[in-house]
């Protein structure tokens, strides 16, 4: 029989959890940035969206990369939230309820 405080697996260190979210999303953002900007020029994108803001091409690439990183990091974070083991949140039933 398991103890009431037993988990499916031990908790991971915070740095490992953060790294598991940020590293794959960094990689995916890099790939997405390369594919997107292979077809889209940041200056033309600026001209059709925010033509009153003056940015150079490198700033457009940088902004695009961080936007892709934010999107992919949020996707990784939501996946991590959904895959957490239920034993962390559901208290075991008392012996009277079984």
């Amino acid at each position: 029989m398991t103890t009431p405080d037993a988990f499916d697996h031990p908790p991971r260190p915070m740095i490992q959890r953060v790294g598991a979210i940020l590293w794959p999303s960094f990689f995916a953002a890099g790939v997405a940035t390369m594919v997107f900007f292979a077809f889209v020029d940041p200056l033309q994108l600026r001209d059709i969206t925010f033509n009153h803001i003056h940015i150079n091409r490198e700033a457009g690439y940088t902004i695009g990369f961080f936007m892709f990183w934010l999107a992919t990091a949020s996707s990784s974070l939501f996946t991590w939230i959904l895959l957490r083991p239920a034993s962390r949140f559901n208290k075991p039933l008392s012996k009277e309820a079984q």
Side-chain angles (χ1 to χ4, degrees):
M1 179 130 201
T2 61
T3 61
D5 294 328
F7 292 134
D8 302 34
H9 55 78
R12 305 271 188 243
M14 178 60 79
I15 191 70
Q16 187 177 6
R17 290 181 281 174
V18 170
I21 294 168
L22 292 182
W23 175 244
S25 62
F26 177 83
F27 179 74
V31 172
T33 301
M34 289 186 285
V35 170
F36 181 78
F37 286 119
F39 299 102
V40 177
D41 182 18
L43 296 181
Q44 290 180 347
L45 185 61
R46 177 209 58 197
D47 291 342
I48 62 174
T49 55
F50 301 105
N51 59 1
H52 60 281
I53 299 175
H54 299 288
I55 61 169
N56 58 13
R57 187 170 273 118
E58 290 80 15
Y61 291 136
T62 303
I63 293 167
F65 170 77
F66 282 112
M67 289 182 69
F68 279 123
W69 196 7
L70 180 64
T72 55
S74 64
S75 172
S76 295
L77 176 65
F78 295 142
T79 301
W80 174 75
I81 289 170
L82 292 173
L83 291 178
R84 291 181 296 176
S87 65
R88 299 275 172 96
F89 309 102
N90 298 334
K91 295 183 180 182
L93 294 173
S94 64
K95 291 186 180 189
E96 294 84 31
Q98 292 178 349

